[in-house]
């Protein structure tokens, strides 16, 4: 994969037109294979039906066999691709958000969005789900994460939505956008067919198992270029500063949520037997006062040292900012100024629903962790008391005391001292060493 992508990236720089033509031809090859199989089966069935007068009973039997086989193949092609999850809202509920999305869509010349879903993650995206499975006719979903609305101002959110809608735009990067959607389509079809047990799918699975990953690699440079084109669309519809603020703020808030916010939320299981917290309600207070400048500067510095890799078509923050001629700019909106206000009257209902959904989902694991922590704390207290009374603990108990001291007692220095003493005392023990 790496070797192929490297070679194609060099070719794309050397002769962009030739590379683009090869990608388009490869995409057409995939579509042609599916059409060819179906037409061949229909031709065989039609020929048998036409020969009924000559072959009579034999033709009827053969036509039935081919017809059944054709039905199996058609059934294998009727792939159901599940729509994305999220809370669907209407223009009546959130008119300002819909007006913003529709204004950006019209400026880009992108096709209409069928559903707008609010999700529970720090992300946005456009997903196309074909109504007819492998035959297309997509239903388009615009996904907007509630944490993203909490993290950005309206202008920065506009830049993010313009980027996502740019992948559908008809008047900008038409060929690369089409190839971008083809990549997603083949990957999803391969996954869906692999999950089915239909006997007729043997005509397609071997081809898809080769074609989908190969096309993914072959079109990777174009997909990467498409991300830059979508960023350029965001800059054109908003401003370079707004796009840079959105990119930087999402990077910082993502690190804050992963390293500070969610660990603190989950850490409350130490003391609370039930998840009686509202994490999404907490995010609604905004991130401006929660993220300290020193941590933000460190996270930005780390992000700017990362280079663009091949694990994702999205370029690294450093390269995306360089492409639009901007430096990192953090702009967490103050409380009450974030883009979640675009949700209007349905905002509080969405927050309450996501909090309830989170509590119901995490409840069993939360209670298990709480009970284990209480048992561990009691065990640690007993081992500490025995050690304080002068008892020399056996290796398993001494090891457990040091481990609990580190994990539950949150005293890593004391735990390290205990582990060092164990290694000295039990020099021939693999566990102690």
């Amino acid at each position: 994969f790496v070797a192929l992508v490297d070679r194609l990236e060099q070719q794309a720089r050397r002769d962009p037109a030739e590379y683009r033509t090869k990608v388009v031809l490869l995409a057409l090859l995939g579509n042609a294979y599916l059409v060819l199989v179906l037409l061949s089966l229909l031709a065989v069935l039609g020929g048998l039906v036409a020969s009924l007068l000559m072959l009579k009973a034999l033709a009827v039997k053969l036509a039935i066999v081919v017809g059944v086989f054709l039905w199996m193949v058609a059934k294998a092609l009727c792939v159901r691709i599940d729509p994305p999850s999220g809370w669907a809202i209407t223009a009546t509920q959130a008119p300002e958000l819909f007006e913003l999305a529709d204004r950006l869509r019209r400026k880009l010349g992108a096709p209409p969005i069928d559903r707008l879903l609010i999700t529970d993650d720090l992300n946005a995206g456009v997903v196309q789900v074909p109504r007819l499975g492998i035959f297309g006719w997509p239903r388009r979903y615009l996904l907007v994460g509630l944490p993203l609305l909490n993290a950005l101002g309206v202008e920065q959110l506009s830049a993010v939505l313009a980027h996502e809608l740019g992948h559908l735009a008809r008047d900008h990067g038409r060929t690369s956008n089409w190839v971008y959607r083809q990549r997603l389509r083949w990957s999803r079809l391969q996954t869906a067919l692999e999950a089915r047990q239909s006997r007729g799918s043997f005509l397609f699975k071997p081809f898809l198992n080769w074609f989908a990953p190969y096309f993914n690699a072959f079109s990777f440079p174009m997909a990467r270029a498409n991300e830059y084109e979508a960023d350029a669309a965001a800059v054109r519809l908003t401003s370079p500063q707004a796009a840079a603020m959105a990119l930087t703020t999402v990077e910082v808030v993502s690190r804050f949520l992963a390293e500070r916010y969610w660990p603190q939320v989950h850490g409350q299981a130490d003391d609370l037997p039930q998840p009686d917290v509202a994490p999404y309600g907490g995010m609604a207070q905004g991130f401006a006062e929660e993220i300290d400048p020193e941590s933000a500067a460190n996270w930005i510095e780390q992000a700017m040292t990362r280079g663009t890799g091949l694990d994702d078509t999205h370029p690294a923050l450093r390269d995306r900012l360089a492409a639009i001629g901007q430096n990192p700019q953090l702009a967490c909106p103050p409380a009450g100024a974030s883009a979640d206000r675009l949700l209007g009257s349905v905002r509080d209902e969405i927050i309450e629903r996501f909090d309830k959904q989170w509590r119901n989902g995490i409840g069993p694991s939360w209670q298990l962790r709480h009970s284990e922590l209480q048992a561990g704390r009691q065990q640690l207290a007993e081992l500490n008391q025995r050690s304080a009374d002068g008892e020399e603990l056996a290796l398993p108990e001494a090891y457990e005391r040091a481990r609990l001291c580190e994990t539950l007692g949150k005293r890593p220095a004391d735990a390290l001292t205990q582990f060092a003493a164990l290694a000295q005392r039990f020099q021939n023990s693999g566990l102690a060493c």
Side-chain angles (χ1 to χ4, degrees):
F1 181 89
V2 173
L4 179 59
V5 171
D6 284 345
R7 177 172 62 81
L8 291 168
E9 283 185 332
Q10 294 174 23
Q11 182 180 6
R13 287 191 293 267
R14 185 173 60 251
D15 193 340
E18 181 183 355
Y19 165 71
R20 187 180 296 263
T21 301
K22 288 181 178 179
V23 175
V24 171
L25 290 175
L26 186 62
L28 293 176
L29 170 66
N31 292 292
Y33 177 82
L34 299 179
V35 173
L36 179 62
V37 171
L38 287 177
L39 290 180
S40 299
L41 290 171
L42 287 172
V44 171
L45 181 61
L48 289 171
V49 172
S51 64
L52 283 175
L53 293 177
M54 292 188 301
L55 299 179
K56 297 183 180 179
L58 178 60
V60 172
K61 293 178 181 179
L62 291 174
I64 292 174
V65 171
V66 174
V68 170
F69 180 69
L70 184 61
W71 167 251
M72 287 167 38
V73 172
K75 189 176 179 182
L77 285 174
C78 292
V79 178
R80 174 177 173 79
I81 298 179
D82 294 328
S85 59
W87 191 357
I89 61 173
T90 64
T92 304
Q93 294 172 312
E96 291 185 74
L97 181 58
F98 272 81
E99 194 279 330
L100 172 63
D102 194 56
R103 185 174 71 250
L104 295 170
R105 180 194 66 78
R106 283 186 276 106
K107 285 184 177 180
L108 288 165
I113 297 296
D114 298 296
R115 298 277 179 85
L116 197 158
L117 304 181
I118 304 300
T119 65
D120 60 1
D121 57 352
L122 183 73
N123 203 0
V126 173
V127 176
Q128 297 192 98
V129 178
R131 295 178 176 92
L132 301 179
I134 207 165
F135 301 107
W137 190 29
R139 177 179 284 114
R140 301 175 187 88
Y141 296 81
L142 175 61
L143 280 60
V144 183
L146 180 61
L148 185 73
L149 293 168
N150 298 144
L152 301 177
V154 175
E155 187 70 7
Q156 290 74 49
L157 176 68
S158 299
V160 173
L161 296 183
H163 172 99
E164 299 302 335
L165 292 168
H167 289 308
L168 298 177
R170 295 191 180 110
D171 62 344
H172 183 78
R174 177 178 301 188
T175 302
S176 59
N177 282 353
W178 178 75
V179 170
Y180 182 90
R181 295 192 294 272
Q182 289 283 311
R183 284 168 52 85
L184 300 179
R185 171 179 175 242
W186 286 115
S187 296
R188 298 188 78 183
L189 285 174
Q190 182 190 22
T191 302
L193 276 177
E194 285 177 349
R196 292 179 63 90
Q197 301 300 321
S198 174
R199 287 174 290 181
S201 63
F202 78 91
L203 279 175
F204 304 97
K205 281 185 179 179
F207 176 79
L208 277 178
N209 287 339
W210 165 77
F211 180 81
Y214 184 76
F215 183 71
N216 181 46
F218 204 92
S219 58
F220 192 95
M222 185 178 287
R224 173 69 54 75
N226 189 260
E227 296 296 341
Y228 285 115
E229 291 171 0
D231 280 348
V235 167
R236 192 172 72 253
L237 266 63
T238 57
S239 69
Q241 294 76 21
M245 288 177 183
L247 290 169
T248 308
T249 303
V250 169
E251 175 70 32
V252 170
V253 172
S254 176
R255 294 289 298 273
F256 169 74
L257 290 174
E259 298 179 21
R260 302 278 176 82
Y261 189 81
W262 284 115
Q264 289 175 1
V265 169
H266 296 149
Q268 295 183 57
D270 295 3
D271 304 304
L272 298 176
Q274 301 289 338
D276 189 22
V277 291
Y280 292 97
M283 290 183 205
Q285 306 306 313
F287 297 105
E289 297 180 359
E290 298 292 328
I291 301 176
D292 62 281
E294 183 180 356
S295 296
N298 288 334
W299 287 328
I300 292 174
E301 182 181 0
Q302 292 169 19
M304 293 297 287
T305 60
R306 287 198 302 268
T308 296
L310 297 181
D311 56 334
D312 187 2
T313 58
H314 288 86
L317 176 65
R318 179 185 66 193
D319 296 329
R320 295 180 75 174
L321 291 175
I324 61 176
Q326 295 292 308
N327 294 317
Q329 303 176 47
L330 179 62
C332 291
S338 57
D340 64 342
R341 63 183 176 82
L342 297 178
L343 293 172
S345 60
V346 78
R347 170 184 174 273
D348 292 340
E349 187 180 354
I350 293 174
I351 293 173
E352 183 179 348
R353 172 169 176 167
F354 282 162
D355 280 331
K356 182 179 180 180
Q357 180 178 292
W358 176 84
R359 285 192 293 268
N360 291 339
I362 205 172
S365 58
W366 181 287
Q367 294 165 19
L368 177 62
R369 171 175 168 166
H370 178 77
S371 60
E372 289 177 344
L373 284 169
Q374 300 312 307
R377 284 176 172 175
Q378 182 177 352
Q379 183 184 9
L380 178 59
E382 293 174 354
L383 292 172
N384 283 338
Q385 185 61 50
R386 289 168 58 187
S387 179
D389 291 342
E391 180 181 345
E392 189 173 65
L393 300 177
L395 173 59
E397 292 177 319
Y399 170 80
E400 189 65 11
R401 175 177 173 244
R403 187 186 68 81
L404 292 172
C405 180
E406 178 183 10
T407 56
L408 300 186
K410 296 182 173 59
R411 299 197 308 275
D414 291 347
L416 183 58
T417 300
Q418 294 178 41
F419 281 127
L422 280 179
Q424 181 64 32
R425 181 179 160 203
F426 301 96
Q427 296 184 14
N428 294 323
S429 165
L431 176 63
C433 291

